[in-house]
Amino acid sequence: MVEQQEVITLLSRRELDKMRQAGSLAARLLDYLEPLVKPGVSTLEINDAAEAWTQNHDAKSAPLGYPGAVDPFPKSLCTSVNEVVCHGIPSADQILRDGDIINVDVTPIVDGYHGDTSRTFLVGTPSPLAKKLVEVTEECMWRGIQAVKPGARVGDIGAAIQAYAEAEGFSVVRDFVGHGVHRIFHTAPQIPHYGVAGKGKKFRKGMVFTIEPMINVGTYEVEVLADGWTALTADRKLSAQFEHTIAVTEDGVEVLTLAPSKVAA
């Protein structure tokens, strides 16, 4: 799901307010879906629950019908289970099992603005390796977010993520990146989750983009299936992902897709 434009848009105060509304709804949607993530539930059930909830909140699902290299994306969210790195397509035939991990990636559109976020959930009782992978991946995301401030550079995010992931024995996917997001789903800048500190574009107040590292147990290499969407680890080992949409502020960063329970009073 990448459509790039060269111009980086700096959002106004009004536009940032719109992004906060979209981000809040996206976080609430993941909170709503979390109890459904359990053994015996199909990924299509999760999709259908999300679509109904989104419509009930006067929003639209951005992934549904999104153009692809082969066909438009056919569902309302992405469900990436175990060795699926990203863009997994929900299916009635895919039933969650005890020990699985699943990334649920949602992007509701609220008044024209996109709230883009994802979490990897544990299904039942995971293996110690799966649990560690998920914990490390979430920490990678937060380390990337902490690297953002005016004057810092895009490479600082990737460097922070890569250093931590590799120190923990995992690898960072190269083929998919974070991206600018506002009224456009995917736009500039691209945000690699690996790289060299001090390199890349400088951050400026009003920039809004996602940080969404995909971390693998084995090789960072991926394979995309014939459907043009489903990306798997090349060695079929586990992969996990977490994603937030963030805004660069005058003195740091604001996370626009925090769950209500995580927002400071």
Side-chain angles (χ1 to χ4, degrees):
M1 293 187 182
V2 175
E3 98 194 6
Q4 284 298 321
Q5 294 186 357
E6 293 299 320
V7 177
I8 297 176
T9 301
L10 302 180
L11 271 61
S12 67
R13 183 178 300 178
R14 183 191 70 83
E15 290 172 317
L16 285 171
D17 282 341
K18 296 287 189 182
M19 287 298 295
R20 290 185 186 99
Q21 294 172 31
S24 175
L25 192 76
R28 288 164 54 203
L29 174 54
L30 284 181
D31 280 352
Y32 173 75
L33 296 175
E34 184 170 8
L36 296 178
V37 180
K38 57 187 179 181
V41 173
S42 74
T43 53
L44 183 62
E45 289 177 83
I46 296 171
N47 176 86
D48 291 351
E51 177 62 23
W53 190 92
T54 299
Q55 290 185 20
N56 287 339
H57 288 79
D58 298 320
K60 295 181 180 179
S61 300
L64 184 61
Y66 190 84
V70 179
D71 292 308
F73 195 78
K75 299 298 179 184
S76 300
L77 48 69
C78 300
T79 50
S80 302
V81 179
N82 294 335
E83 72 275 14
V84 179
V85 175
C86 60
H87 303 161
I89 299 172
S91 167
D93 296 328
Q94 186 171 49
I95 309 299
L96 296 179
R97 300 171 299 175
D98 184 69
D100 284 345
I101 62 173
I102 176 175
N103 178 268
V104 180
D105 190 342
V106 302
T107 310
I109 304 172
V110 180
D111 198 18
Y113 289 81
H114 296 73
D116 193 1
T117 186
S118 81
R119 301 176 202 162
T120 296
F121 298 104
L122 305 171
V123 182
T125 305
S127 69
L129 178 60
K131 188 170 185 291
K132 178 184 178 183
L133 174 67
V134 172
E135 290 171 349
V136 167
T137 303
E138 185 171 19
E139 177 64 18
C140 281
M141 177 190 65
W142 285 114
R143 290 189 180 216
I145 290 170
Q146 290 160 9
V148 178
K149 58 185 176 183
R153 292 182 180 271
V154 167
D156 298 342
I157 294 174
I161 290 170
Q162 185 177 8
Y164 183 70
E166 293 181 354
E168 294 295 327
F170 299 126
S171 65
V172 182
V173 171
R174 268 78 161 158
D175 291 48
F176 301 98
V177 297
H179 54 88
V181 59
H182 38 82
R183 292 186 71 90
I184 302 171
F185 193 174
H186 299 92
T187 187
Q190 289 195 349
I191 308 294
H193 303 111
Y194 65 98
V196 179
K199 300 291 185 179
K201 295 184 182 296
K202 279 189 177 181
F203 298 124
R204 297 170 59 193
K205 179 183 175 183
M207 290 174 65
V208 174
F209 51 84
T210 68
I211 296 176
E212 48 180 298
M214 287 147 267
I215 308 298
N216 295 350
V217 166
T219 178
Y220 63 77
E221 295 176 336
V222 305
E223 172 190 343
V224 178
L225 297 185
D227 61 25
W229 290 109
T230 309
L232 306 172
T233 55
D235 56 12
R236 301 303 189 262
K237 293 182 179 180
L238 292 175
S239 182
Q241 181 187 18
F242 281 84
E243 174 183 16
H244 272 313
T245 297
I246 65 99
V248 182
T249 65
E250 194 166 339
D251 55 2
V253 62
E254 178 184 355
V255 180
L256 301 175
T257 46
L258 274 181
S261 60
K262 302 293 185 183
V263 177

